[in-house]
Amino acid sequence: MPIIIWTIQLILIPALSPLGIGLIKNMKAKLQNRQGASIFQPYRDIWKLLHKDEVVSVDASWIFRCAPYIVFGITIVVGASIPLFSSLGQGIISSDMLLVIYTLATGTFFLALAGIDTGSAFGGFGSSREMTISALAEGGFIFSLLTLALTRGTTNLFGISAIPMSLYDQSFLPTLLAFLGFFIVLLAETARFPFDNPATHLELTMIHEAMILEYSGKKLALMEWASANKLLIFTALGANLFFPFALAQSSMMGVVLIGIFAFIFKILVFYAAIAVLESSISKFRFFRLPDLLLISFIFNIIAIGLLNYL
Amino acid sequence: MLGIFASPMSFFVSLLLFTIGAIGSLIAQKDDALANWWGGLFAIAGSLGGLIFATSAMIVGNSMSFSLGALTFPLLTFSFHVDMLSAFFVFVISLIALFCSFYGIGYVKHYYKKYSIGALGFFYNLFILGMMLVVSSSNGLFFLIAWEVMSVASYFLVIYDRKEQSNLKAGFLYLVMTHIGTVFIILAFLLFYTYTGSLDFEVIKSGVALIPLSIKNIIFVLAVIGFGTKAGIIPFHVWLPSAHPAAPSHVSGLMSGVMIKTGIYMMMRIFLDILQPIPTWWGLTLLIIGSVSALLGVLYALAEYDIKRLLAYSSIENIGIILLGLGSALTFSSFGMPQLALLSLVASLFHTLNHSIFKSLLFLGAGSVINETHTRNMEEYGGLIQYMPQTAFFFLVGSMAISALPPFNGFFSEWMTFQSLFQGIAALDFSARWIFVTSAGALAFTGGLALACFVKAFGVTFLARPRSQEVLHAKESLPLLRVGMGALAILLLVFGLFSGFVVSFIEKVGRNLSIFHSIPSFVSVLPNQSPTIANFLRVSGPTFFAFIIVACIAVALAIKYVIHRNQEIRLGATWDCGTDLTPRMEISATGFVYSLMTIYKGVLMSRIHHDVKYFDEKTGFLQKSRTVTLSAKDVYQLYLYGPLRKLAAISSEKVKNIQSGNIHTYIVYIFFALVVALVFAL
């Protein structure tokens, strides 16, 4: 039985992530009074790209060629080591919060290097902007998880998700504040509004798209898929660490199924929130983003301050 | 068997080898190649000796006290005391010196016929010898002699490339700053002597109860300034970014990797060993200093476009991280939580070891690049990965390790530092807690900024297209250079994967200190696991690394053989929007950090300077060239050292007034001086 759970744990993120992107796009289209593409369109896109030949710049080095595999591989590994539908993983695999944060940073590192590698002006600026945002988001990211680690007494992510949330507990308000901080980081790290516009190739606004501009064919498919994975990973972190209910506590078939359905439900809520957000606000000017990230950090500081009175 | 290697004899053999290397290369200075090989090989042999000695001393685990002859100078004995902490630092020094010496033999070749190789070999060996003595001596006066040997030898190495005017200036600044630091150290030692009547560290330690608290506090301040100057904490760091880049690269590697750690060693020795028990504010002060140094260090590193200055500033950042560990160790020990104090001390020691490896690797890599391109300006690099693929790979490994990316060793020591800060937040209350929160915040932001900094350092140097003609002539570095770098890169991975094993070793080192003797171990010693602390889960290095590698390879294979077998990859030009894409259009070092520097404007005081040249000077219509420099304002020079220098100049001018040139006046001065001295003495 655990083998089956591990298989589900391993493939759940890459299997569901394109669907998530399709859902957000579809919801946004509906909100904008458009028909919108099918929610399965991202799968078709990836399949199509995977069967195309590719063009690689003559200036590119092995970093550019290897980066998609590394970036994608890292999202798979991280996806498998965070709580998705159960909190059973404790002790089986390393899912320390700092390890997860820094492993994700390794992906960002190679993505940014790949952006510089081809010598295109777009790629370099994309990397510069990406590193700027991720450098500023790091504080909020670590501290929002730290607030949880302090309330639950462990930095293990499965450990954090194993302790049920109580509405009447004094840790409720700090958790809520930490969640607000985390949500800002989520938007920043996964290149959504108001940090980045995932739908455009206009050079003034793009960050993530600028870095992967030179990719084509299979490598582009991997990059797109990896970024969908990353969105799902962050959403799963937000859903399962801050709202840890209905997670499977044993490996019984029924409990696991409930866990998976609960997971999908929570993800749906998050994605709907992102879609509504993206339809209702505009992208911020680049130099206003630090304010937003600082707010995320301050939320977490307040949360930790409130923990004083536990 | 180990007993023989862990004896004073083997330590002296190692010291002797350095001495022979130093004197021999001076004698052989007529012949450049001979002097180089002589100095280099003896440095290698000496380092190997030191490595064997230190490793066996740490395994055997007993402290040794021994002295060199019975000399009858008052207060001065050449006595050594090697406990495990000293042995650990001897280990770090020897390890880095070993690989830097390999690299050095190859690297020095381009100085042939330009400068005296014999002198380089002499000072190089003397420098390592000095560092070995500093961490093993147990007498204050002997320590100061060793400290001076180390400082002066490194001064001559800094000004070795003396045709460059800026190097001489950097060397002078270094000499002045290091001696200002020494003044504070001497004052601290004099206070020790006043209250305990001895300069021997062991005697001072046993008589520490005689020192009143107020004097202890003064000693703390003096020691932090004195040793902090050597370690490069902000604001006493001003010498570091100019002196480290000036030296030959393998020496820069040693200075940044090891020499600044001698300051850390002495802080540990004095605060955690000699002066126990200590008040709380010491640790908290070190935490604040550490946070400031880490955050500002990385911001200044980010603002640099000189590759070696960037690395030097990043050393300041890492010293800050080490101090965060040490500061929490002091705080915990003053609150009577030895277990947590030990954890923090181990984090700090582990980061000391790790930083010395990756920083020397990065300096060696930078040295190879500079050797080929003849400039330290990163704007003139670009695309070097095509010309120096192996050097680029080693530099990449170093960059990943220093940015604390798993599975390299930097991550594990930073992880432990984070954990000890988290433990502090959880365990302490009120003001101490908030200082821990601030420190953890500083460390979190430092981590993110360091990542950006090294994406810039690697990306701008090695990726994209060459931005100057020099790059086109660059060749892969010589085999000896690659041996030095490759070995260090392997160490980074090995110490990362087997961090659990290394940590359990370092924990033994920490527990050798008398305050930690009796507490239980926090490490579950299994060879492939990192420490388990209370309910914080272990981070298993090898498994995780294997998992990532397997995932990446599986994806690559699946794509290649399952999804699309006959794939075609065409080479094409980078998309150029229809214009001719030139290297001038790609991102530059300045451009890369422009946004971060604008955001941190308040701290960096960054400003843009335009330097425009015209075809027509008078009217100024036709621009010939335009140079834009984005740089951080040197606030320390402007607001701290500048005024101090002015003050010194003015007061010297005033003091000059008593110099009348009349011999009778001078006799009166002597008389008064004598009377005053007698009054104090009696």
Side-chain angles (χ1 to χ4, degrees):
Chain A
M1 194 63 187
I3 303 253
I4 298 173
I5 290 195
W6 280 108
T7 321
I8 301 174
Q9 174 89 15
L10 192 64
I11 62 163
L12 198 59
I13 290 277
L16 284 185
S17 66
L19 182 66
I21 297 290
L23 268 170
I24 292 184
K25 281 192 176 152
N26 192 271
M27 281 190 265
K28 271 172 79 173
K30 292 270 153 48
L31 284 167
Q32 289 159 4
N33 243 340
R34 288 188 286 120
Q35 187 73 46
S38 148
I39 55 170
F40 298 105
Q41 187 58 37
Y43 291 103
R44 294 181 199 133
D45 287 343
I46 288 172
W47 190 249
K48 176 187 75 189
L49 285 173
L50 279 175
H51 287 84
K52 288 204 167 199
D53 290 341
E54 43 188 301
V55 185
V56 172
S57 162
V58 280
D59 299 313
S61 67
W62 64 268
I63 302 253
F64 180 83
R65 290 160 198 267
C66 293
Y69 303 109
I70 298 175
V71 172
F72 186 76
I74 278 173
T75 59
I76 299 285
V77 173
V78 171
S81 38
I82 59 171
L84 298 177
F85 56 90
S86 75
S87 45
L88 292 172
Q90 235 170 331
I92 302 170
I93 191 169
S94 23
S95 57
D96 181 82
M97 72 178 227
L98 288 170
L99 187 66
V100 164
I101 292 173
Y102 277 91
T103 310
L104 284 170
T106 313
T108 313
F109 181 78
F110 277 100
L111 187 62
L113 286 186
I116 301 176
D117 200 10
T118 53
S120 132
F122 292 109
F125 276 100
S127 303
S128 163
R129 288 169 186 168
E130 168 81 7
M131 292 321 294
T132 305
I133 288 181
S134 88
L136 293 167
E138 188 104 342
F141 193 9
I142 291 182
F143 265 55
S144 56
L145 297 191
L146 172 65
T147 313
L148 290 178
L150 288 173
T151 54
R152 312 280 156 79
T154 171
T155 55
N156 181 275
L157 296 177
F158 283 98
I160 291 174
S161 71
I163 299 168
M165 185 177 70
S166 150
L167 280 176
Y168 308 104
D169 196 328
Q170 269 162 326
S171 71
F172 177 69
L173 189 57
T175 309
L176 199 67
L177 280 171
F179 173 71
L180 288 178
F182 178 83
F183 194 70
I184 295 175
V185 173
L186 182 153
L187 297 174
E189 289 274 353
T190 56
R192 313 301 305 188
F193 271 73
F195 291 89
D196 192 3
N197 189 344
T200 173
H201 278 95
L202 186 66
E203 71 238 44
L204 282 175
T205 55
M206 61 186 178
I207 300 174
H208 181 261
E209 294 301 314
M211 285 190 289
I212 62 170
L213 196 62
E214 282 298 316
Y215 280 109
S216 54
K218 297 171 237 336
K219 297 203 171 78
L220 178 63
L222 281 183
M223 281 296 196
E224 298 276 14
W225 201 350
S227 104
N229 284 347
K230 202 173 167 190
L231 178 62
L232 190 55
I233 286 170
F234 270 86
T235 319
L237 284 176
N240 287 339
L241 300 183
F242 294 90
F243 308 104
F245 51 79
L247 281 157
Q249 304 282 0
S250 70
S251 51
M252 305 257 295
M253 186 61 109
V255 184
V256 169
L257 275 179
I258 291 175
I260 293 176
F261 281 120
F263 174 65
I264 292 173
F265 172 72
K266 281 191 270 190
I267 295 300
L268 272 178
V269 174
F270 267 79
Y271 279 7
I274 291 175
V276 171
L277 194 76
E278 294 205 336
S279 306
S280 51
I281 61 169
S282 61
K283 193 190 161 306
F284 277 12
R285 202 161 63 85
F286 186 72
F287 284 107
R288 272 190 64 200
L289 299 178
D291 306 347
L292 203 55
L293 289 166
L294 199 63
I295 289 172
S296 141
F297 187 66
I298 289 170
F299 273 144
N300 291 304
I301 293 281
I302 297 172
I304 290 175
L306 287 173
L307 285 180
N308 247 341
Y309 304 102
L310 273 186
Chain B
M1 188 63 187
L2 277 177
I4 303 170
F5 290 128
S7 68
M9 210 29 147
S10 90
F11 185 57
F12 283 135
V13 167
S14 155
L15 296 185
L16 191 67
L17 285 168
F18 286 120
T19 320
I20 298 174
I23 297 169
S25 57
L26 204 58
I27 293 171
Q29 66 169 326
K30 286 266 162 56
D31 184 347
D32 281 349
L34 179 65
N36 180 24
W37 281 95
W38 184 282
L41 286 180
F42 273 95
I44 290 175
S47 316
L48 273 177
L51 213 54
I52 293 169
F53 165 74
T55 316
S56 38
M58 281 195 284
I59 292 173
V60 173
N62 54 349
S63 307
M64 290 172 256
S65 291
F66 46 94
S67 69
L68 189 71
L71 290 158
T72 50
F73 291 110
L75 297 178
L76 174 66
T77 52
F78 291 104
S79 58
F80 298 86
H81 179 77
V82 180
D83 58 0
M84 285 184 72
L85 187 66
S86 296
F88 176 76
F89 276 87
V90 171
F91 176 81
V92 175
I93 294 169
S94 318
L95 187 73
I96 304 306
L98 178 66
F99 298 116
C100 284
S101 305
F102 267 112
Y103 182 93
I105 295 178
Y107 184 75
V108 168
K109 283 185 180 147
H110 80 274
Y111 288 122
Y112 283 5
K113 301 273 183 297
K114 254 167 102 186
Y115 298 113
S116 160
I117 305 298
L120 180 65
F122 176 72
F123 287 118
Y124 180 71
N125 277 288
L126 204 63
F127 175 45
I128 305 173
L129 183 72
M131 289 194 289
M132 293 283 221
L133 292 179
V134 160
V135 297
S136 59
S137 67
S138 108
N139 175 287
L141 221 51
F142 178 35
F143 168 84
L144 284 171
I145 294 173
W147 188 258
E148 278 304 286
V149 169
M150 173 180 90
S151 304
V152 174
S154 54
Y155 162 71
F156 282 109
L157 292 169
V158 167
I159 61 163
Y160 184 69
D161 194 356
R162 60 181 183 277
K163 281 181 189 144
E164 197 80 45
Q165 201 59 36
S166 63
N167 290 354
L168 293 180
K169 264 181 92 174
F172 185 70
L173 179 64
Y174 170 47
L175 199 65
V176 170
M177 283 305 289
T178 196
H179 280 98
I180 292 175
T182 312
V183 168
F184 285 94
I185 298 170
I186 293 175
L187 284 175
F189 283 175
L190 285 179
L191 282 176
F192 276 139
Y193 182 73
T194 320
Y195 285 88
T196 60
S198 172
L199 278 175
D200 192 279
F201 293 158
E202 292 298 297
V203 180
I204 297 173
K205 192 181 161 191
S206 54
V208 75
L210 298 170
I211 308 175
L213 184 62
S214 56
I215 300 297
K216 268 185 168 181
N217 285 339
I218 295 174
I219 291 177
F220 170 74
V221 174
L222 293 173
V224 165
I225 297 177
F227 295 115
T229 309
K230 186 58 94 184
I233 58 173
I234 287 175
F236 309 114
H237 69 286
V238 282
W239 62 275
L240 203 152
S242 50
H244 285 200
S249 288
H250 60 302
V251 180
S252 315
L254 266 179
M255 286 177 77
S256 241
V258 193
M259 185 188 74
I260 56 174
K261 311 292 168 42
T262 56
I264 299 289
Y265 163 77
M266 279 310 284
M267 287 193 203
M268 285 176 181
R269 172 67 70 206
I270 293 181
F271 304 149
L272 274 175
D273 192 24
I274 295 178
L275 283 180
Q276 286 287 336
I278 53 169
T280 312
W281 69 273
W282 292 15
L284 298 179
T285 311
L286 281 192
L287 279 176
I288 294 170
I289 293 177
S291 314
V292 171
S293 294
L295 207 51
L296 286 181
V298 71
L299 280 173
Y300 290 130
L302 208 56
E304 275 302 331
Y305 50 89
D306 173 333
I307 188 164
K308 280 176 98 176
R309 278 177 72 90
L310 182 146
L311 294 175
Y313 272 120
S314 135
S315 292
I316 297 174
E317 170 221 332
N318 280 281
I319 283 291
I321 297 175
I322 293 171
L323 281 181
L324 287 179
L326 183 59
S328 9
L330 292 186
T331 316
F332 289 131
S333 81
S334 67
F335 276 118
M337 307 172 180
Q339 183 120 26
L340 291 180
L342 181 59
L343 168 72
S344 321
L345 177 67
V346 171
S348 163
L349 284 172
F350 193 23
H351 200 72
T352 305
L353 173 66
N354 291 342
H355 175 247
S356 66
I357 303 174
F358 48 66
K359 189 44 66 64
S360 48
L361 170 61
L362 289 169
F363 263 114
L364 299 186
S368 292
V369 168
I370 294 164
N371 213 354
E372 295 298 322
T373 56
H374 312 291
T375 173
R376 291 189 341 219
N377 186 351
M378 289 166 66
E379 308 290 16
E380 294 179 26
Y381 298 160
L384 276 163
I385 197 169
Q386 314 282 6
Y387 301 89
M388 317 173 75
Q390 296 185 26
T391 309
F393 181 73
F394 299 141
F395 200 91
L396 178 70
V397 171
S399 305
M400 286 180 73
I402 202 169
S403 319
L405 298 180
F408 296 104
N409 58 0
F411 168 73
F412 294 94
S413 49
E414 203 152 312
W415 182 82
M416 289 188 73
T417 312
F418 262 122
Q419 291 289 15
S420 45
L421 292 172
F422 292 171
Q423 296 278 7
I425 298 173
L428 305 174
D429 48 278
F430 302 121
S431 56
R433 178 193 163 102
W434 279 109
I435 289 176
F436 272 82
V437 171
T438 319
S439 307
L443 188 54
F445 277 106
T446 305
L449 289 167
L451 191 68
C453 179
F454 281 91
V455 165
K456 166 193 155 178
F458 182 80
V460 170
T461 307
F462 290 102
L463 301 180
R465 294 206 259 170
R467 285 185 298 274
S468 72
Q469 287 298 312
E470 298 279 7
V471 174
L472 301 177
H473 308 302
K475 287 184 293 290
E476 184 56 88
S477 21
L478 297 170
L480 264 175
L481 276 65
R482 277 179 278 158
V483 167
M485 291 187 282
L488 287 169
I490 292 170
L491 276 184
L492 288 178
L493 185 60
V494 169
F495 280 12
L497 291 186
F498 298 99
S499 56
F501 196 67
V502 181
V503 163
S504 69
F505 221 81
I506 297 176
E507 197 234 12
K508 254 176 73 186
V509 173
R511 282 194 330 147
N512 192 242
L513 288 178
S514 46
I515 50 164
F516 299 128
H517 267 327
S518 52
I519 62 158
S521 167
F522 67 79
V523 178
S524 65
V525 193
L526 292 172
N528 60 354
Q529 280 167 0
S530 264
T532 318
I533 309 147
N535 45 8
F536 285 81
L537 193 88
R538 65 178 175 268
V539 180
S540 171
T543 328
F544 196 73
F545 182 56
F547 194 10
I548 289 186
I549 294 287
V550 167
C552 294
I553 292 174
V555 172
L557 290 182
I559 294 226
K560 189 149 189 209
Y561 293 108
V562 182
I563 294 190
H564 201 216
R565 276 166 234 225
N566 36 5
Q567 60 174 353
E568 192 194 339
I569 297 181
R570 273 184 295 134
L571 286 179
T574 305
W575 186 56
D576 54 9
C577 306
T579 58
D580 239 356
L581 194 67
T582 69
R584 286 176 58 87
M585 295 175 190
E586 70 198 34
I587 193 125
S588 61
T590 310
F592 192 86
V593 294
Y594 173 77
S595 41
L596 269 172
M597 281 182 76
T598 313
I599 290 163
Y600 281 99
K601 210 182 203 161
V603 188
L604 282 172
M605 315 241 175
S606 41
R607 54 187 176 173
I608 298 180
H609 178 73
H610 293 265
D611 193 8
V612 190
K613 287 205 176 68
Y614 297 96
F615 284 110
D616 46 338
E617 262 328 311
K618 278 186 198 133
T619 43
F621 286 125
L622 300 168
Q623 286 189 5
K624 193 184 201 171
S625 67
R626 185 188 195 93
T627 316
V628 181
T629 328
L630 174 69
S631 58
K633 196 154 124 190
D634 194 351
V635 282
Y636 308 95
Q637 190 60 36
L638 215 57
Y639 299 118
L640 183 64
Y641 290 96
L644 275 180
R645 207 178 51 206
K646 230 177 255 170
L647 194 72
I650 291 169
S651 49
S652 322
E653 202 64 37
K654 287 273 184 315
V655 169
K656 227 165 71 182
N657 290 338
I658 66 165
Q659 303 236 342
S660 58
N662 183 346
I663 194 151
H664 301 294
T665 336
Y666 288 143
I667 292 173
V668 174
Y669 289 157
I670 291 170
F671 176 71
F672 276 115
L674 197 64
V675 169
V676 171
L678 280 174
V679 166
F680 273 107
L682 291 176

